[in-house]
Every structure is written in C-alpha cells, then in structure tokens.
Amino acid sequence: MREYLLTLCVTAAVTYLLTGPVRKFAIAAGAMPEIRERDVHREPTPRLGGIAMFGGLCAGLLVASQMSNIGEMFELSSEPRALLAGAALIWLLGVLDDKWGVDALIKLGGQMIAAGVMVWQGLTILWIPVPGVGSVALTPMQGTLLTVALVVITINAVNFVDGLDGLASGMVCIAAAAFFMYAYRMWYGYGVEAAAPATLFAVVLMGMALGFLPHNMHPARIFMGDSGSMLIGLVLAAGAISITGQVDPDLLQAATGSEKEAVKSTVPVYIPVVLLPLSIIAVPVADLVLAVVRRTWNGQSPFAADRGHLHHRLLEIGHSHSRAVLIMYFWSALIGFSAVAYSVNSASVWVVLALAMLSAVGLFILLLPRFTPRVPRWAQAVVPPRYRSKGRRSEPAEEPAGDGPSGASPEAGAAGTERSGTVARANGATAVGARGDHRVPQRSKAGTRG
C-alpha cells in the first residue's frame, strides 16, 4: 500500500506543478477557443490541460517501475507499456483537437486506433465471467472488438460529461477510487496477481485527477480539453479491461473453491465492467446514452453538440454551478462505492438499505435548487466565502453581483471590492464577507476564469 500511496502522491504532484506552466503555454499558443452557444463559461479559457495530466501519467508509471514490489509487474506484464502507447496516441489526438479542432469521425477513428494498439500489445479481453456458467473464452476477433468498443464508449462517456468546471476530473477521481478498492481487494484479498496492473492504473488515474482538480474547480483557470478527457477515459477503460479480461479463472477458482463460485462472488462489479462500465461511471454512461438517443430522435448527428446534458439540466432547474457539480459527484460516488460494497457482501441487507436511504437523500437535494446550505460559525473560517453566513458579511447582499460600481467595468468592480476587503481586514472586520458578496458571485456570473 505504501508504494501505491507514493505513486499517487508523485502523480498528483507532477500534474499539479505542470498545470501552471501548461496554462501559460496554452495562452501563448492560442489554445483558447471562442465561446460556443452550449458553453457555460463566459470568457475564453485556455485548454491543453491534458498535457499536464499526461506528464503525471508518465511520472507515475516511471516511479512505479522503480518500486521493489510494483516494479516486478513491469517485467512480467506488457500492460503498462500497452497503456502508455495507447495513452500517447489519444493524448496527441486530443492536443491537436484542442489547438486546431479535429472532425468527430477522425477522432472516433483515432480512438479506435489507440484501442487497437493496446490490444496489439496484449491489453485485451480474453474471457468473460458469466453467472451460472463460469468463464466464457473469446476468440481473438471477439476480444478485439469488445475491447475497442469498451475503450471508445468510456472515452466518449467521459468526454461528454466534461461540461462544467471540475466535473469530469472529480467524477473520474471518484470512479478511480472505487475501482482501486475493488482491484486491490482482488489482488490482496484473493491473491490474484493479474489484478496488479488494474490497481496501478487506478492509482495513477486518481493522481492525475487530484493534481489537476485544484486548477479546474469553479471558476476554472484551465480546462483539460479533449487531450485530458479522452486520456483519463482511456486509462479508466484500460483498468476495466485489465481486471476483467486478464484475470485467470483458475486463480479465482483456487481462492473461492470453484470457478462458478468465483464468478458469483465477483459478478456484482465484474459483469457491468465488461458490458459497460456502469457500476463505476454510471452517470457519464447514462449521459452518453441519453445524448445519443436525444440527438438521433431530433434528426441530428450523435456527435452534434447541444445543451441537453445532465449537468446542463441541473443548471436549468435552478442549481448553481458548484451545486450541480457536487450533485453529480454524489451520484457517481453512490453508484460506484455501492457496487463495490455489494461485491464484498451481496447478502447484507444493510447495503441495500443504505443505498435506498442515500438515493432518497439525493432525490431530495435535486428538489431543492434554491436551498443554500449554511455552515456553523466555528467552521466558517475554513470554507469558501459563498457558504458563510450572511450575518457575518460587511456589505449588503442586495447589490447586483458582477456589476461593480456604477459606470465601471466588472473587472474594476472586482478590484474595488478586493480593496474594500483589504481595508476591512485591516480594521479587524471579517474581510471574507466583503469579498464573498461581490467577488465570488461576480466571477461566477461573468464567467471569469483567470
């Protein structure tokens, strides 16, 4: 576990440190597309965040290869090299799309080529565990087609959900955490060494998302772009393929007593990961399916962009940007970790009751778009200004957000507010109140992203 934690920290640190220089490079290179009708932000924001994430991926794999225990996997398995090769291709395609734009069909072809490269280097589905039957072996052609389909679906599911600040990176981080718990249990719980690559992939993916997330939270200073969203989608798919189609059924049989029992004990997470990564990224996949059905029904191309995604609908019913992101986080965590808990003890009634109760809580939150949570006074010093009590604010809350002083620009208003906050802080008043009423809502409304 210590080696995994070190790999996680190195990946996150490298990604975090690289994101700042990458942002400056993106601005200098002009990778700041004009605002589109479906976009939520209001000002051009640099992309190419995937460059930093790819640097974190390479650093994480390099550090892991030098570990005493994890390093042996690089000698016994070709899966890390297969992942790196496929990731490099998909990342390069994403960089070209972020800078110049790439046709949707060309991107689809590039995704299939990247998946084919991973299959060619050994990262493919060899068999499928079926309840009541056992493991069903696949022909090379069947395994290749299923692998490519899973990679393409996962990449586009993550790409489709990347519509709000911090949404895709946070949801993928949650999915990777749930997937790590499952893969780690397979390796150390059942002694299945073939699950080691998937465990490593999940750790590296968590590091990439965690390192990029501070720069991408609302208001985002940089977007990951297709170079980042397609990259993390491919890594997530690679982990699912590795632990599903590469685990030897004989090892599961030795751990559980019989092959059928082995399949039965792991099927709550196993089968959804094979067919669709539903148990881990159910929300992005649902968004993908709904988008394809909606666009096809309206006579549009499935690749045509619109404002009908789940996060857009949350904004339309009245939820704020941050609240919509947190709601998506909640449902992703609920489904992903519930699937892992069910795989550990599928006979426990407490798992079902907890799932039902948390689902009711999630539905209740969806019906309260205007509800603003308040934090106790003792905790207000450590939370963002927008969650602090109005009673502690030094300025009236009725002033229109984002307009600044009369006759001045929004930027001048924000600067003046910041100066007033500084004066208040010097007088011993609560400076956060002065900034919380104006600067944060102004940036949220005007879409200022650095």
Side-chain angles (χ1 to χ4, degrees), residues 141-159:
M141 180 58 68
Q142 292 173 340
T144 299
L145 293 177
L146 186 57
T147 301
V148 171
L150 180 58
V151 171
V152 171
I153 290 173
T154 307
I155 288 176
N156 286 282
V158 175
N159 193 21

Side-chain angles (χ1 to χ4, degrees), residues 374 377 380-381 383-399 401 414 416-426 428-442:
R374 294 302 175 196
R377 289 181 177 270
Q380 291 192 14
V383 297
R386 59 182 174 273
Y387 295 120
R388 295 171 184 170
S389 174
K390 288 184 178 180
R392 295 176 59 89
R393 296 177 180 174
S394 58
E395 298 291 340
E398 290 77 10
E399 183 175 343
T417 304
E418 186 172 356
R419 287 194 297 270
S420 67
T422 305
V423 174
R425 183 167 57 252
T430 304
V432 178
R435 299 177 65 179
D437 252 347
H438 303 283
R439 186 177 182 184
V440 174
Q442 187 271 335

Side-chain angles (χ1 to χ4, degrees), residues 54-147:
F54 184 72
L57 171 66
C58 295
L61 293 179
L62 178 61
V63 169
S65 65
Q66 304 303 315
M67 300 289 183
S68 57
N69 294 326
I70 304 179
E72 297 179 356
M73 175 185 57
F74 289 80
E75 300 177 359
L76 302 176
S77 175
S78 62
E79 293 182 24
R81 293 190 296 272
L83 170 66
L84 188 59
L89 289 176
I90 205 70
W91 168 77
L92 180 60
L93 177 64
V95 169
L96 296 176
D97 183 58
D98 290 340
K99 180 59 178 74
W100 292 286
V102 178
D103 184 74
L105 293 179
I106 297 179
K107 284 198 296 184
L108 181 61
Q111 295 168 6
M112 298 175 67
I113 292 175
V117 169
M118 292 196 301
V119 172
W120 179 59
Q121 296 196 6
L123 185 56
T124 183
I125 298 176
L126 302 177
W127 41 68
I128 300 177
V130 179
V133 177
S135 296
V136 177
L138 301 177
T139 64
M141 180 58 68
Q142 292 173 340
T144 299
L145 293 177
L146 186 57
T147 301

Side-chain angles (χ1 to χ4, degrees), residues 144-209:
T144 299
L145 293 177
L146 186 57
T147 301
V148 171
L150 180 58
V151 171
V152 171
I153 290 173
T154 307
I155 288 176
N156 286 282
V158 175
N159 193 21
F160 275 33
V161 83
D162 183 24
L164 297 179
D165 297 349
L167 182 58
S169 52
M171 292 181 65
V172 170
C173 183
I174 293 172
F179 196 80
F180 170 76
M181 296 174 60
Y182 176 69
Y184 189 81
R185 175 173 172 263
M186 287 284 292
W187 186 10
Y188 286 95
Y190 289 109
V192 181
E193 294 184 1
T199 310
L200 175 62
F201 297 166
V203 166
V204 173
L205 184 58
M206 274 194 292
M208 295 164 59

Side-chain angles (χ1 to χ4, degrees), residues 197-252:
T199 310
L200 175 62
F201 297 166
V203 166
V204 173
L205 184 58
M206 274 194 292
M208 295 164 59
L210 288 175
F212 184 74
L213 197 55
H215 299 274
N216 192 231
M217 291 298 292
H218 182 69
R221 302 180 68 247
I222 186 174
F223 295 156
M224 69 173 64
D226 282 2
S227 59
S229 61
M230 292 196 301
L231 176 63
I232 59 179
L234 181 136
V235 177
L236 183 59
I241 293 168
S242 176
I243 199 171
T244 301
Q246 297 286 319
V247 175
D248 189 351
D250 293 336
L251 297 178
L252 291 177

